[in-house]
Amino acid sequence: MKPWCTITISANQKVKIDREDLERVSERSWRITKGTTGRERVVTSIRMKDGSRTVTLGAFLMKPPKGKQVYPRRFNDGLDYRKENLVVCT
């Protein structure tokens, strides 16, 4: 069995994630939006005491420290959210 799997976000878009994250990721509703650079990103809304906030799948998986962001860049596939493909940077 492969160590990764795909989740379907919309009718024709699938996102690659590590199999170990499938259960946790499946508990949320995900959508694809365009970021400020025009690249596709996978996001969900998380309810907080003071409202809700949008969280990317990369940040959901990697939990970066404050001031850092997570990008799916290493293999140049914007919908590949396996941890080996994610880069945490400023």
Side-chain angles (χ1 to χ4, degrees), residues 25-74:
V25 169
S26 296
E27 292 173 354
R28 301 212 155 267
S29 175
W30 299 92
R31 64 192 181 279
I32 296 177
T33 63
K34 296 269 185 185
T36 56
T37 62
R39 291 183 66 125
E40 291 181 327
R41 62 189 190 148
V42 180
V43 299
T44 191
S45 294
I46 295 181
R47 289 192 176 97
M48 313 287 278
K49 289 180 183 177
D50 56 346
S52 66
R53 67 178 200 155
T54 300
V55 176
T56 66
L57 179 55
F60 181 81
L61 294 171
M62 301 296 284
K63 299 179 184 165
K66 190 172 184 166
K68 302 276 185 170
Q69 294 184 341
V70 179
Y71 297 99
R73 303 266 191 211
R74 199 161 282 149

mmCIF file of all heavy atoms in Angstrom, residues 25-74:
data_model
loop_
_atom_site.group_PDB
_atom_site.id
_atom_site.type_symbol
_atom_site.label_atom_id
_atom_site.label_comp_id
_atom_site.label_asym_id
_atom_site.label_seq_id
_atom_site.Cartn_x
_atom_site.Cartn_y
_atom_site.Cartn_z
ATOM 1 N N VAL A 25 -7.838 14.913 8.231
ATOM 2 C CA VAL A 25 -8.206 15.794 7.122
ATOM 3 C C VAL A 25 -9.663 15.569 6.716
ATOM 4 O O VAL A 25 -10.386 16.515 6.400
ATOM 5 C CB VAL A 25 -7.248 15.582 5.923
ATOM 6 C CG1 VAL A 25 -7.752 16.276 4.678
ATOM 7 C CG2 VAL A 25 -5.845 16.072 6.276
ATOM 8 N N SER A 26 -10.114 14.329 6.762
ATOM 9 C CA SER A 26 -11.485 13.992 6.344
ATOM 10 C C SER A 26 -12.549 14.545 7.279
ATOM 11 O O SER A 26 -13.717 14.600 6.920
ATOM 12 C CB SER A 26 -11.640 12.472 6.244
ATOM 13 O OG SER A 26 -10.800 11.975 5.233
ATOM 14 N N GLU A 27 -12.166 14.975 8.459
ATOM 15 C CA GLU A 27 -13.123 15.532 9.416
ATOM 16 C C GLU A 27 -13.555 16.950 9.053
ATOM 17 O O GLU A 27 -14.467 17.492 9.656
ATOM 18 C CB GLU A 27 -12.521 15.528 10.825
ATOM 19 C CG GLU A 27 -12.332 14.131 11.375
ATOM 20 C CD GLU A 27 -11.580 14.113 12.693
ATOM 21 O OE1 GLU A 27 -11.095 15.178 13.141
ATOM 22 O OE2 GLU A 27 -11.477 13.022 13.273
ATOM 23 N N ARG A 28 -12.894 17.559 8.080
ATOM 24 C CA ARG A 28 -13.170 18.943 7.693
ATOM 25 C C ARG A 28 -13.637 19.019 6.249
ATOM 26 O O ARG A 28 -13.378 18.130 5.452
ATOM 27 C CB ARG A 28 -11.915 19.798 7.856
ATOM 28 C CG ARG A 28 -11.405 19.790 9.264
ATOM 29 C CD ARG A 28 -10.765 21.110 9.581
ATOM 30 N NE ARG A 28 -10.807 21.354 11.002
ATOM 31 C CZ ARG A 28 -11.753 22.028 11.619
ATOM 32 N NH1 ARG A 28 -12.742 22.541 10.963
ATOM 33 N NH2 ARG A 28 -11.710 22.217 12.912
ATOM 34 N N SER A 29 -14.243 20.124 5.916
ATOM 35 C CA SER A 29 -14.655 20.405 4.546
ATOM 36 C C SER A 29 -13.598 21.315 3.911
ATOM 37 O O SER A 29 -13.295 22.384 4.460
ATOM 38 C CB SER A 29 -16.015 21.105 4.569
ATOM 39 O OG SER A 29 -16.377 21.486 3.278
ATOM 40 N N TRP A 30 -13.044 20.904 2.785
ATOM 41 C CA TRP A 30 -11.966 21.637 2.127
ATOM 42 C C TRP A 30 -12.441 22.212 0.804
ATOM 43 O O TRP A 30 -13.308 21.665 0.152
ATOM 44 C CB TRP A 30 -10.769 20.723 1.906
ATOM 45 C CG TRP A 30 -10.223 20.202 3.193
ATOM 46 C CD1 TRP A 30 -10.561 19.044 3.822
ATOM 47 C CD2 TRP A 30 -9.281 20.847 4.036
ATOM 48 N NE1 TRP A 30 -9.886 18.923 5.005
ATOM 49 C CE2 TRP A 30 -9.080 20.023 5.164
ATOM 50 C CE3 TRP A 30 -8.571 22.047 3.959
ATOM 51 C CZ2 TRP A 30 -8.216 20.358 6.187
ATOM 52 C CZ3 TRP A 30 -7.698 22.377 4.985
ATOM 53 C CH2 TRP A 30 -7.528 21.533 6.088
ATOM 54 N N ARG A 31 -11.832 23.322 0.399
ATOM 55 C CA ARG A 31 -12.118 23.926 -0.896
ATOM 56 C C ARG A 31 -10.825 24.474 -1.489
ATOM 57 O O ARG A 31 -9.864 24.728 -0.760
ATOM 58 C CB ARG A 31 -13.183 25.022 -0.759
ATOM 59 C CG ARG A 31 -12.764 26.184 0.079
ATOM 60 C CD ARG A 31 -13.946 27.102 0.420
ATOM 61 N NE ARG A 31 -13.518 28.241 1.206
ATOM 62 C CZ ARG A 31 -13.293 28.249 2.509
ATOM 63 N NH1 ARG A 31 -13.434 27.131 3.214
ATOM 64 N NH2 ARG A 31 -12.923 29.332 3.132
ATOM 65 N N ILE A 32 -10.831 24.685 -2.781
ATOM 66 C CA ILE A 32 -9.660 25.239 -3.461
ATOM 67 C C ILE A 32 -9.945 26.692 -3.799
ATOM 68 O O ILE A 32 -10.990 27.018 -4.355
ATOM 69 C CB ILE A 32 -9.321 24.426 -4.725
ATOM 70 C CG1 ILE A 32 -8.913 23.004 -4.303
ATOM 71 C CG2 ILE A 32 -8.214 25.102 -5.515
ATOM 72 C CD1 ILE A 32 -8.616 22.078 -5.433
ATOM 73 N N THR A 33 -9.010 27.560 -3.417
ATOM 74 C CA THR A 33 -9.109 28.975 -3.726
ATOM 75 C C THR A 33 -7.802 29.411 -4.388
ATOM 76 O O THR A 33 -6.838 28.639 -4.442
ATOM 77 C CB THR A 33 -9.330 29.833 -2.454
ATOM 78 O OG1 THR A 33 -8.193 29.699 -1.599
ATOM 79 C CG2 THR A 33 -10.585 29.411 -1.713
ATOM 80 N N LYS A 34 -7.778 30.625 -4.866
ATOM 81 C CA LYS A 34 -6.540 31.196 -5.427
ATOM 82 C C LYS A 34 -5.918 32.084 -4.370
ATOM 83 O O LYS A 34 -6.592 32.921 -3.769
ATOM 84 C CB LYS A 34 -6.846 32.035 -6.666
ATOM 85 C CG LYS A 34 -7.412 31.240 -7.808
ATOM 86 C CD LYS A 34 -6.321 30.748 -8.695
ATOM 87 C CE LYS A 34 -6.986 30.058 -9.897
ATOM 88 N NZ LYS A 34 -6.050 29.449 -10.743
ATOM 89 N N GLY A 35 -4.619 31.919 -4.158
ATOM 90 C CA GLY A 35 -3.895 32.764 -3.216
ATOM 91 C C GLY A 35 -3.560 34.107 -3.848
ATOM 92 O O GLY A 35 -3.897 34.370 -5.007
ATOM 93 N N THR A 36 -2.874 34.954 -3.119
ATOM 94 C CA THR A 36 -2.521 36.280 -3.624
ATOM 95 C C THR A 36 -1.584 36.213 -4.820
ATOM 96 O O THR A 36 -1.534 37.141 -5.618
ATOM 97 C CB THR A 36 -1.874 37.135 -2.518
ATOM 98 O OG1 THR A 36 -0.747 36.434 -1.998
ATOM 99 C CG2 THR A 36 -2.865 37.421 -1.397
ATOM 100 N N THR A 37 -0.853 35.112 -4.955
ATOM 101 C CA THR A 37 0.053 34.958 -6.095
ATOM 102 C C THR A 37 -0.634 34.307 -7.287
ATOM 103 O O THR A 37 -0.023 34.125 -8.327
ATOM 104 C CB THR A 37 1.272 34.092 -5.708
ATOM 105 O OG1 THR A 37 0.801 32.780 -5.346
ATOM 106 C CG2 THR A 37 2.048 34.702 -4.555
ATOM 107 N N GLY A 38 -1.906 33.924 -7.116
ATOM 108 C CA GLY A 38 -2.638 33.275 -8.195
ATOM 109 C C GLY A 38 -2.553 31.758 -8.176
ATOM 110 O O GLY A 38 -3.212 31.085 -8.947
ATOM 111 N N ARG A 39 -1.733 31.220 -7.280
ATOM 112 C CA ARG A 39 -1.614 29.762 -7.173
ATOM 113 C C ARG A 39 -2.800 29.189 -6.409
ATOM 114 O O ARG A 39 -3.331 29.824 -5.502
ATOM 115 C CB ARG A 39 -0.322 29.381 -6.456
ATOM 116 C CG ARG A 39 0.913 29.685 -7.268
ATOM 117 C CD ARG A 39 2.130 29.215 -6.528
ATOM 118 N NE ARG A 39 2.095 27.760 -6.434
ATOM 119 C CZ ARG A 39 3.068 26.974 -6.848
ATOM 120 N NH1 ARG A 39 4.132 27.469 -7.366
ATOM 121 N NH2 ARG A 39 2.958 25.675 -6.716
ATOM 122 N N GLU A 40 -3.175 27.979 -6.772
ATOM 123 C CA GLU A 40 -4.262 27.311 -6.062
ATOM 124 C C GLU A 40 -3.795 26.913 -4.671
ATOM 125 O O GLU A 40 -2.635 26.542 -4.477
ATOM 126 C CB GLU A 40 -4.701 26.062 -6.817
ATOM 127 C CG GLU A 40 -5.381 26.367 -8.117
ATOM 128 C CD GLU A 40 -5.825 25.110 -8.832
ATOM 129 O OE1 GLU A 40 -5.148 24.061 -8.715
ATOM 130 O OE2 GLU A 40 -6.856 25.170 -9.516
ATOM 131 N N ARG A 41 -4.720 27.003 -3.713
ATOM 132 C CA ARG A 41 -4.426 26.544 -2.357
ATOM 133 C C ARG A 41 -5.672 25.874 -1.797
ATOM 134 O O ARG A 41 -6.796 26.205 -2.180
ATOM 135 C CB ARG A 41 -3.961 27.682 -1.467
ATOM 136 C CG ARG A 41 -4.979 28.759 -1.286
ATOM 137 C CD ARG A 41 -4.394 29.967 -0.581
ATOM 138 N NE ARG A 41 -5.496 30.848 -0.236
ATOM 139 C CZ ARG A 41 -5.529 31.611 0.814
ATOM 140 N NH1 ARG A 41 -4.515 31.626 1.634
ATOM 141 N NH2 ARG A 41 -6.564 32.369 1.061
ATOM 142 N N VAL A 42 -5.461 24.936 -0.924
ATOM 143 C CA VAL A 42 -6.553 24.175 -0.321
ATOM 144 C C VAL A 42 -6.776 24.738 1.076
ATOM 145 O O VAL A 42 -5.836 24.822 1.870
ATOM 146 C CB VAL A 42 -6.200 22.674 -0.268
ATOM 147 C CG1 VAL A 42 -7.325 21.879 0.353
ATOM 148 C CG2 VAL A 42 -5.873 22.165 -1.666
ATOM 149 N N VAL A 43 -8.022 25.139 1.362
ATOM 150 C CA VAL A 43 -8.316 25.796 2.636
ATOM 151 C C VAL A 43 -9.583 25.239 3.279
ATOM 152 O O VAL A 43 -10.413 24.616 2.617
ATOM 153 C CB VAL A 43 -8.471 27.325 2.461
ATOM 154 C CG1 VAL A 43 -7.197 27.956 1.940
ATOM 155 C CG2 VAL A 43 -9.637 27.668 1.564
ATOM 156 N N THR A 44 -9.714 25.489 4.578
ATOM 157 C CA THR A 44 -10.921 25.200 5.339
ATOM 158 C C THR A 44 -11.170 26.365 6.274
ATOM 159 O O THR A 44 -10.272 27.172 6.516
ATOM 160 C CB THR A 44 -10.785 23.881 6.143
ATOM 161 O OG1 THR A 44 -12.064 23.506 6.651
ATOM 162 C CG2 THR A 44 -9.783 23.982 7.266
ATOM 163 N N SER A 45 -12.356 26.459 6.799
ATOM 164 C CA SER A 45 -12.673 27.483 7.800
ATOM 165 C C SER A 45 -12.734 26.817 9.165
ATOM 166 O O SER A 45 -13.352 25.756 9.319
ATOM 167 C CB SER A 45 -14.014 28.144 7.491
ATOM 168 O OG SER A 45 -13.926 28.871 6.290
ATOM 169 N N ILE A 46 -12.094 27.446 10.136
ATOM 170 C CA ILE A 46 -12.088 26.926 11.501
ATOM 171 C C ILE A 46 -12.764 27.959 12.390
ATOM 172 O O ILE A 46 -12.386 29.133 12.383
ATOM 173 C CB ILE A 46 -10.655 26.629 11.984
ATOM 174 C CG1 ILE A 46 -10.061 25.511 11.135
ATOM 175 C CG2 ILE A 46 -10.649 26.265 13.469
ATOM 176 C CD1 ILE A 46 -8.668 25.107 11.514
ATOM 177 N N ARG A 47 -13.769 27.529 13.131
ATOM 178 C CA ARG A 47 -14.483 28.436 14.031
ATOM 179 C C ARG A 47 -13.660 28.667 15.288
ATOM 180 O O ARG A 47 -13.157 27.729 15.901
ATOM 181 C CB ARG A 47 -15.843 27.844 14.393
ATOM 182 C CG ARG A 47 -16.796 27.877 13.233
ATOM 183 C CD ARG A 47 -18.218 27.557 13.670
ATOM 184 N NE ARG A 47 -19.120 27.688 12.547
ATOM 185 C CZ ARG A 47 -19.528 26.675 11.801
ATOM 186 N NH1 ARG A 47 -19.125 25.454 12.076
ATOM 187 N NH2 ARG A 47 -20.359 26.882 10.795
ATOM 188 N N MET A 48 -13.586 29.923 15.669
ATOM 189 C CA MET A 48 -12.871 30.332 16.874
ATOM 190 C C MET A 48 -13.877 31.071 17.770
ATOM 191 O O MET A 48 -14.982 31.371 17.334
ATOM 192 C CB MET A 48 -11.718 31.279 16.512
ATOM 193 C CG MET A 48 -10.864 30.813 15.350
ATOM 194 S SD MET A 48 -9.803 29.460 15.749
ATOM 195 C CE MET A 48 -8.479 30.306 16.504
ATOM 196 N N LYS A 49 -13.486 31.405 18.981
ATOM 197 C CA LYS A 49 -14.363 32.153 19.890
ATOM 198 C C LYS A 49 -14.770 33.495 19.291
ATOM 199 O O LYS A 49 -15.886 33.948 19.462
ATOM 200 C CB LYS A 49 -13.663 32.396 21.226
ATOM 201 C CG LYS A 49 -13.510 31.164 22.063
ATOM 202 C CD LYS A 49 -12.799 31.497 23.363
ATOM 203 C CE LYS A 49 -12.574 30.241 24.175
ATOM 204 N NZ LYS A 49 -11.832 30.508 25.397
ATOM 205 N N ASP A 50 -13.853 34.143 18.603
ATOM 206 C CA ASP A 50 -14.106 35.477 18.069
ATOM 207 C C ASP A 50 -14.458 35.466 16.582
ATOM 208 O O ASP A 50 -14.292 36.455 15.888
ATOM 209 C CB ASP A 50 -12.900 36.382 18.323
ATOM 210 C CG ASP A 50 -11.607 35.809 17.759
ATOM 211 O OD1 ASP A 50 -11.571 34.622 17.400
ATOM 212 O OD2 ASP A 50 -10.632 36.572 17.673
ATOM 213 N N GLY A 51 -14.936 34.363 16.060
ATOM 214 C CA GLY A 51 -15.320 34.265 14.648
ATOM 215 C C GLY A 51 -14.699 33.043 14.002
ATOM 216 O O GLY A 51 -14.413 32.061 14.662
ATOM 217 N N SER A 52 -14.482 33.131 12.717
ATOM 218 C CA SER A 52 -13.837 32.007 12.035
ATOM 219 C C SER A 52 -12.629 32.519 11.264
ATOM 220 O O SER A 52 -12.522 33.712 10.961
ATOM 221 C CB SER A 52 -14.817 31.310 11.088
ATOM 222 O OG SER A 52 -15.179 32.171 10.044
ATOM 223 N N ARG A 53 -11.719 31.613 10.963
ATOM 224 C CA ARG A 53 -10.553 31.988 10.170
ATOM 225 C C ARG A 53 -10.285 30.908 9.140
ATOM 226 O O ARG A 53 -10.634 29.737 9.332
ATOM 227 C CB ARG A 53 -9.335 32.243 11.033
ATOM 228 C CG ARG A 53 -8.816 31.020 11.720
ATOM 229 C CD ARG A 53 -7.583 31.309 12.531
ATOM 230 N NE ARG A 53 -6.943 30.012 12.728
ATOM 231 C CZ ARG A 53 -5.676 29.816 12.946
ATOM 232 N NH1 ARG A 53 -4.875 30.816 13.055
ATOM 233 N NH2 ARG A 53 -5.195 28.616 13.084
ATOM 234 N N THR A 54 -9.678 31.307 8.050
ATOM 235 C CA THR A 54 -9.339 30.389 6.975
ATOM 236 C C THR A 54 -7.952 29.826 7.235
ATOM 237 O O THR A 54 -7.016 30.575 7.530
ATOM 238 C CB THR A 54 -9.377 31.121 5.619
ATOM 239 O OG1 THR A 54 -10.699 31.625 5.428
ATOM 240 C CG2 THR A 54 -9.030 30.191 4.480
ATOM 241 N N VAL A 55 -7.815 28.507 7.127
ATOM 242 C CA VAL A 55 -6.547 27.831 7.356
ATOM 243 C C VAL A 55 -6.229 26.986 6.132
ATOM 244 O O VAL A 55 -7.093 26.255 5.634
ATOM 245 C CB VAL A 55 -6.629 26.928 8.618
ATOM 246 C CG1 VAL A 55 -5.353 26.138 8.813
ATOM 247 C CG2 VAL A 55 -6.950 27.751 9.834
ATOM 248 N N THR A 56 -4.995 27.077 5.651
ATOM 249 C CA THR A 56 -4.589 26.243 4.521
ATOM 250 C C THR A 56 -4.352 24.817 4.987
ATOM 251 O O THR A 56 -4.066 24.571 6.161
ATOM 252 C CB THR A 56 -3.302 26.765 3.853
ATOM 253 O OG1 THR A 56 -2.215 26.634 4.778
ATOM 254 C CG2 THR A 56 -3.445 28.206 3.389
ATOM 255 N N LEU A 57 -4.447 23.892 4.060
ATOM 256 C CA LEU A 57 -4.198 22.487 4.387
ATOM 257 C C LEU A 57 -2.765 22.305 4.876
ATOM 258 O O LEU A 57 -2.504 21.552 5.806
ATOM 259 C CB LEU A 57 -4.484 21.600 3.168
ATOM 260 C CG LEU A 57 -4.257 20.111 3.344
ATOM 261 C CD1 LEU A 57 -5.028 19.546 4.533
ATOM 262 C CD2 LEU A 57 -4.630 19.372 2.060
ATOM 263 N N GLY A 58 -1.821 23.024 4.287
ATOM 264 C CA GLY A 58 -0.427 22.927 4.725
ATOM 265 C C GLY A 58 -0.256 23.336 6.178
ATOM 266 O O GLY A 58 0.404 22.649 6.955
ATOM 267 N N ALA A 59 -0.859 24.451 6.565
ATOM 268 C CA ALA A 59 -0.761 24.908 7.955
ATOM 269 C C ALA A 59 -1.495 23.946 8.884
ATOM 270 O O ALA A 59 -1.039 23.677 9.997
ATOM 271 C CB ALA A 59 -1.338 26.318 8.084
ATOM 272 N N PHE A 60 -2.618 23.403 8.443
ATOM 273 C CA PHE A 60 -3.372 22.429 9.229
ATOM 274 C C PHE A 60 -2.513 21.195 9.516
ATOM 275 O O PHE A 60 -2.502 20.673 10.631
ATOM 276 C CB PHE A 60 -4.630 22.038 8.463
ATOM 277 C CG PHE A 60 -5.518 21.057 9.164
ATOM 278 C CD1 PHE A 60 -6.399 21.474 10.145
ATOM 279 C CD2 PHE A 60 -5.495 19.720 8.824
ATOM 280 C CE1 PHE A 60 -7.240 20.565 10.782
ATOM 281 C CE2 PHE A 60 -6.326 18.801 9.444
ATOM 282 C CZ PHE A 60 -7.193 19.236 10.436
ATOM 283 N N LEU A 61 -1.765 20.748 8.522
ATOM 284 C CA LEU A 61 -0.950 19.547 8.673
ATOM 285 C C LEU A 61 0.346 19.796 9.439
ATOM 286 O O LEU A 61 0.760 18.981 10.253
ATOM 287 C CB LEU A 61 -0.607 18.969 7.295
ATOM 288 C CG LEU A 61 -1.778 18.433 6.488
ATOM 289 C CD1 LEU A 61 -1.328 18.109 5.072
ATOM 290 C CD2 LEU A 61 -2.386 17.222 7.160
ATOM 291 N N MET A 62 1.009 20.924 9.179
ATOM 292 C CA MET A 62 2.350 21.164 9.712
ATOM 293 C C MET A 62 2.384 21.995 10.998
ATOM 294 O O MET A 62 3.392 22.000 11.688
ATOM 295 C CB MET A 62 3.205 21.856 8.651
ATOM 296 C CG MET A 62 3.345 21.060 7.365
ATOM 297 S SD MET A 62 4.215 19.508 7.569
ATOM 298 C CE MET A 62 5.893 20.101 7.679
ATOM 299 N N LYS A 63 1.321 22.745 11.284
ATOM 300 C CA LYS A 63 1.265 23.601 12.474
ATOM 301 C C LYS A 63 2.536 24.442 12.624
ATOM 302 O O LYS A 63 3.284 24.300 13.595
ATOM 303 C CB LYS A 63 1.029 22.759 13.719
ATOM 304 C CG LYS A 63 -0.274 22.008 13.683
ATOM 305 C CD LYS A 63 -0.466 21.174 14.921
ATOM 306 C CE LYS A 63 -1.741 20.377 14.762
ATOM 307 N NZ LYS A 63 -1.879 19.311 15.700
ATOM 308 N N PRO A 64 2.795 25.329 11.669
ATOM 309 C CA PRO A 64 4.033 26.120 11.720
ATOM 310 C C PRO A 64 4.016 27.125 12.869
ATOM 311 O O PRO A 64 2.949 27.550 13.311
ATOM 312 C CB PRO A 64 4.031 26.853 10.375
ATOM 313 C CG PRO A 64 2.590 26.997 10.041
ATOM 314 C CD PRO A 64 1.945 25.725 10.563
ATOM 315 N N PRO A 65 5.202 27.530 13.358
ATOM 316 C CA PRO A 65 5.253 28.542 14.408
ATOM 317 C C PRO A 65 4.728 29.884 13.886
ATOM 318 O O PRO A 65 4.695 30.117 12.676
ATOM 319 C CB PRO A 65 6.736 28.632 14.769
ATOM 320 C CG PRO A 65 7.472 27.855 13.754
ATOM 321 C CD PRO A 65 6.498 27.045 12.967
ATOM 322 N N LYS A 66 4.336 30.762 14.794
ATOM 323 C CA LYS A 66 3.803 32.073 14.421
ATOM 324 C C LYS A 66 4.802 32.801 13.520
ATOM 325 O O LYS A 66 6.007 32.785 13.770
ATOM 326 C CB LYS A 66 3.530 32.894 15.679
ATOM 327 C CG LYS A 66 2.762 34.148 15.416
ATOM 328 C CD LYS A 66 2.338 34.823 16.696
ATOM 329 C CE LYS A 66 1.493 36.030 16.354
ATOM 330 N NZ LYS A 66 0.790 36.536 17.512
ATOM 331 N N GLY A 67 4.292 33.410 12.474
ATOM 332 C CA GLY A 67 5.143 34.149 11.539
ATOM 333 C C GLY A 67 5.663 33.310 10.383
ATOM 334 O O GLY A 67 6.309 33.835 9.478
ATOM 335 N N LYS A 68 5.416 32.032 10.384
ATOM 336 C CA LYS A 68 5.867 31.135 9.306
ATOM 337 C C LYS A 68 4.657 30.669 8.502
ATOM 338 O O LYS A 68 3.541 30.641 8.995
ATOM 339 C CB LYS A 68 6.579 29.909 9.878
ATOM 340 C CG LYS A 68 7.766 30.214 10.733
ATOM 341 C CD LYS A 68 8.977 30.407 9.897
ATOM 342 C CE LYS A 68 10.187 30.589 10.816
ATOM 343 N NZ LYS A 68 11.418 30.556 10.105
ATOM 344 N N GLN A 69 4.904 30.292 7.261
ATOM 345 C CA GLN A 69 3.860 29.771 6.388
ATOM 346 C C GLN A 69 4.326 28.445 5.796
ATOM 347 O O GLN A 69 5.513 28.139 5.790
ATOM 348 C CB GLN A 69 3.556 30.753 5.267
ATOM 349 C CG GLN A 69 2.939 32.033 5.766
ATOM 350 C CD GLN A 69 2.562 32.958 4.638
ATOM 351 O OE1 GLN A 69 3.042 32.830 3.528
ATOM 352 N NE2 GLN A 69 1.697 33.898 4.929
ATOM 353 N N VAL A 70 3.367 27.697 5.264
ATOM 354 C CA VAL A 70 3.666 26.400 4.663
ATOM 355 C C VAL A 70 3.257 26.447 3.196
ATOM 356 O O VAL A 70 2.157 26.887 2.864
ATOM 357 C CB VAL A 70 2.896 25.267 5.375
ATOM 358 C CG1 VAL A 70 3.204 23.927 4.726
ATOM 359 C CG2 VAL A 70 3.240 25.243 6.850
ATOM 360 N N TYR A 71 4.164 26.005 2.329
ATOM 361 C CA TYR A 71 3.897 25.983 0.895
ATOM 362 C C TYR A 71 4.142 24.595 0.324
ATOM 363 O O TYR A 71 5.140 23.961 0.656
ATOM 364 C CB TYR A 71 4.807 26.969 0.151
ATOM 365 C CG TYR A 71 4.581 28.388 0.538
ATOM 366 C CD1 TYR A 71 5.414 29.014 1.457
ATOM 367 C CD2 TYR A 71 3.533 29.114 -0.005
ATOM 368 C CE1 TYR A 71 5.202 30.334 1.816
ATOM 369 C CE2 TYR A 71 3.320 30.431 0.353
ATOM 370 C CZ TYR A 71 4.160 31.037 1.254
ATOM 371 O OH TYR A 71 3.948 32.325 1.616
ATOM 372 N N PRO A 72 3.253 24.111 -0.559
ATOM 373 C CA PRO A 72 3.518 22.841 -1.250
ATOM 374 C C PRO A 72 4.368 23.112 -2.486
ATOM 375 O O PRO A 72 3.877 23.292 -3.576
ATOM 376 C CB PRO A 72 2.111 22.357 -1.619
ATOM 377 C CG PRO A 72 1.310 23.605 -1.752
ATOM 378 C CD PRO A 72 1.915 24.604 -0.806
ATOM 379 N N ARG A 73 5.662 23.151 -2.323
ATOM 380 C CA ARG A 73 6.544 23.586 -3.402
ATOM 381 C C ARG A 73 7.595 22.556 -3.833
ATOM 382 O O ARG A 73 8.068 22.615 -4.937
ATOM 383 C CB ARG A 73 7.332 24.831 -2.965
ATOM 384 C CG ARG A 73 6.468 25.945 -2.561
ATOM 385 C CD ARG A 73 6.234 26.849 -3.713
ATOM 386 N NE ARG A 73 5.614 28.047 -3.162
ATOM 387 C CZ ARG A 73 4.773 28.788 -3.808
ATOM 388 N NH1 ARG A 73 4.456 28.489 -5.015
ATOM 389 N NH2 ARG A 73 4.246 29.839 -3.257
ATOM 390 N N ARG A 74 7.992 21.734 -2.937
ATOM 391 C CA ARG A 74 9.189 20.953 -3.195
ATOM 392 C C ARG A 74 9.148 20.222 -4.532
ATOM 393 O O ARG A 74 10.123 20.200 -5.253
ATOM 394 C CB ARG A 74 9.410 19.981 -2.044
ATOM 395 C CG ARG A 74 10.815 19.489 -2.001
ATOM 396 C CD ARG A 74 11.180 18.914 -0.661
ATOM 397 N NE ARG A 74 11.437 19.980 0.285
ATOM 398 C CZ ARG A 74 11.215 19.907 1.573
ATOM 399 N NH1 ARG A 74 10.716 18.826 2.089
ATOM 400 N NH2 ARG A 74 11.493 20.897 2.361
#
